[in-house]
Amino acid sequence: MILILSFSSLLLSVVLLQLGSGALGPFDVISGLALGFSDRQLGLLGSAHFIGFITGCWWGPRLIGSVGHSRAFACFAAIGTIGILLHMMIVDPWVWALLRTLSGLSIAGCFTVIEAWMQAKVSNQNRGRALGIYRTVDLAAGGLAQLLITFLMPAHFIAYNILAIICCASLLPLIVTRLPPPVTPQHLRLQPLLALKISPMATSGVLVAGVTAAGFRMVGPLYGDRIGLDISEVAIFLAFYTLGGGLAQYPAGWLADKIDRRQVLIILSFASLLTCVMTMFAPLDRIWIIYLCSTLFGFASFPIYSVAAAHANDHSTIEKMVELSASLLFYFSIGAILSPFLLALLIDRFGPASMFFGIGLVYLTLAGIGGIRMIIGREKHHITPYVYTPRTSYFIGRLLRFKRRPRDD
């Protein structure tokens, strides 16, 4: 309890950020549908968000170094608020895409500040508990954000004002906190090729995670609309995906610590492929089956990023792990930038079921890569523990600080 209270201001900011930013993505799609945006334009909104996200990850540490943690957070939160408020002032899909880059930049920058602040305040004695609380709050707020859109009227300025207020409110906990800001961190030098050199399998895994997670979250509302779901049903459909991902963390972690992690990635890939096939042929008149498919898809696909990151850390030196986390997040962002537009294009050309056909092909490819790496690669007998890794900022690598242990043979 003392630990929760000591980080309460940071955790409250996480909740508010997740509520505002997590709801904006699907709500933009629903509002765009009401305004007559095309499927391709709606996909572009999701891709634009992650262009801003990767920019914010790069700029965040530099701004912290220039103006400090509190001012950097205020700057990023203000950018996000401005982006939300301008939506109903300039109703144009291309302008909205630009505004979504601002929201992506804002969320990446804000989480960079929070995770840098947290990393500076935790110790080796409470690091595990602090991360556990942080991950729980992150997942719970992400799930609630999907349900928030049920209460918002599409394409209405009041709805966007509510999201802007939530984004603005995330400033308050850090402004009134008594926690002194930490020492300004060193800039993180991004080495995009590092992950590919250390582990092609892990790089493939995080790239696929970016393609599927971002595609599902950003284009999922379009899929739901095309199969006849209303707004509340779309919200529940997305929330069940997050719920499935949360439920998967313990069993996925247990399995990843017991057997070769390449095998775990192959198992998860085939399980995700199976859920894609199930969703493609699910009877659309039975909503509970649609919800079940969403839950199972989240259960199978959500842990892939964390398993891939743990596999990469097994092959890295302790000194390289922070830069490796940044490199992995870079590849996740690349996949996340490409997928919303491409999946929306598939729906536009071939119908809603084609979204899961495209995602299924990606998982089939990952399983094939895993099989090849099993043949030509060698398993590491010194492993790092599996942990759920939020895809929020490059500073998550500094928070984790894995310790190696021998694998039980």
Side-chain angles (χ1 to χ4, degrees), residues 131-164:
L131 274 173
I133 295 169
Y134 176 56
R135 291 191 295 265
T136 301
V137 169
D138 174 70
L139 276 172
L144 290 174
Q146 311 308 311
L147 298 176
L148 178 61
I149 64 176
T150 303
F151 306 99
L152 303 176
M153 184 179 296
H156 198 283
F157 74 95
I158 291 179
Y160 281 97
N161 282 354
I162 291 173
L163 293 179

Side-chain angles (χ1 to χ4, degrees), residues 45-130:
L45 299 182
S47 295
H49 172 87
F50 286 98
I51 293 174
F53 178 86
I54 197 170
T55 304
C57 285
W58 174 83
W59 186 33
R62 289 159 178 77
L63 188 62
I64 293 173
S66 299
V67 302
H69 291 73
S70 298
R71 290 180 180 177
F73 189 90
C75 174
F76 285 121
I79 289 172
T81 303
I82 292 169
I84 295 172
L85 289 173
L86 284 175
H87 271 70
M88 294 314 298
M89 296 177 66
I90 311 174
V91 180
D92 179 87
W94 301 103
V95 174
W96 278 28
L98 177 61
L99 298 179
R100 287 303 302 278
T101 63
L102 296 183
S103 69
L105 187 151
S106 170
I107 192 67
C110 287
F111 271 106
T112 297
V113 174
I114 288 172
E115 289 173 1
W117 203 317
M118 184 175 291
Q119 188 273 333
K121 297 302 179 181
V122 298
S123 64
N124 288 333
Q125 287 71 35
N126 64 14
R127 185 180 303 275
R129 285 176 293 154

Side-chain angles (χ1 to χ4, degrees), residues 211-212 276 280 343 346 353-363:
V211 168
T212 57
C276 288
M280 288 175 61
L343 292 178
L346 280 177
S354 63
M355 169 178 160
F356 284 96
F357 178 80
I359 292 175
L361 285 180
V362 173
Y363 282 118

Side-chain angles (χ1 to χ4, degrees), residues 114-382:
I114 288 172
E115 289 173 1
W117 203 317
M118 184 175 291
Q119 188 273 333
K121 297 302 179 181
V122 298
S123 64
N124 288 333
Q125 287 71 35
N126 64 14
R127 185 180 303 275
R129 285 176 293 154
L131 274 173
I133 295 169
Y134 176 56
R135 291 191 295 265
T136 301
V137 169
D138 174 70
L139 276 172
L144 290 174
Q146 311 308 311
L147 298 176
L148 178 61
I149 64 176
T150 303
F151 306 99
L152 303 176
M153 184 179 296
H156 198 283
F157 74 95
I158 291 179
Y160 281 97
N161 282 354
I162 291 173
L163 293 179
I165 289 170
I166 295 173
C167 186
C168 238
S170 67
L171 276 164
L172 300 178
L174 285 187
I175 289 175
V176 302
T177 183
R178 295 183 179 180
L179 284 175
V183 177
T184 301
Q186 295 179 338
H187 294 336
L188 189 63
R189 187 165 66 93
L190 177 61
Q191 303 177 55
L193 294 179
L194 179 62
L196 194 59
K197 292 178 180 178
I198 289 177
S199 176
M201 180 65 198
T203 304
S204 302
V206 298
L207 186 64
V208 166
V211 168
T212 57
F216 185 87
R217 288 181 56 212
M218 299 299 176
V219 187
L222 176 59
Y223 169 84
D225 176 78
R226 291 294 182 265
I227 65 173
L229 303 184
D230 61 29
I231 295 177
S232 62
E233 290 169 339
V234 168
I236 296 171
F237 174 71
L238 297 175
F240 271 116
Y241 165 75
T242 305
L243 174 63
L247 293 174
Q249 294 310 313
Y250 179 79
W254 178 85
L255 189 63
D257 285 343
K258 292 295 182 182
I259 66 174
D260 189 335
R261 284 169 177 166
R262 294 169 298 182
Q263 292 179 325
V264 178
L265 288 172
I266 293 172
I267 292 170
L268 293 174
S269 297
F270 278 118
S272 299
L273 174 60
L274 178 61
T275 61
C276 288
V277 174
M278 290 173 55
T279 307
M280 288 175 61
F281 295 101
L284 301 181
D285 59 338
R286 298 184 181 180
I287 190 64
W288 68 270
I289 295 181
I290 302 298
Y291 293 158
L292 177 62
C293 289
S294 176
T295 305
L296 293 176
F297 179 72
F299 189 92
S301 64
F302 214 96
I304 285 179
Y305 183 94
S306 298
V307 174
H311 179 65
N313 284 317
D314 292 345
H315 293 74
S316 174
T317 61
I318 298 295
E319 295 76 18
K320 288 287 185 181
M321 283 186 178
V322 175
E323 287 76 14
L324 177 60
S325 294
S327 183
L328 290 172
L329 191 56
F330 170 80
Y331 284 102
F332 174 86
S333 300
I334 295 299
I337 289 170
L338 295 174
S339 65
F341 180 77
L342 294 177
L343 292 178
L345 183 63
L346 280 177
I347 292 177
D348 182 48
R349 293 286 299 275
F350 304 106
S354 63
M355 169 178 160
F356 284 96
F357 178 80
I359 292 175
L361 285 180
V362 173
Y363 282 118
L364 184 60
T365 303
L366 180 59
I369 294 173
I372 294 172
R373 295 303 302 175
M374 290 280 297
I375 294 172
I376 66 176
R378 186 172 61 182
E379 181 186 3
K380 288 290 182 179
H381 286 271
H382 287 82

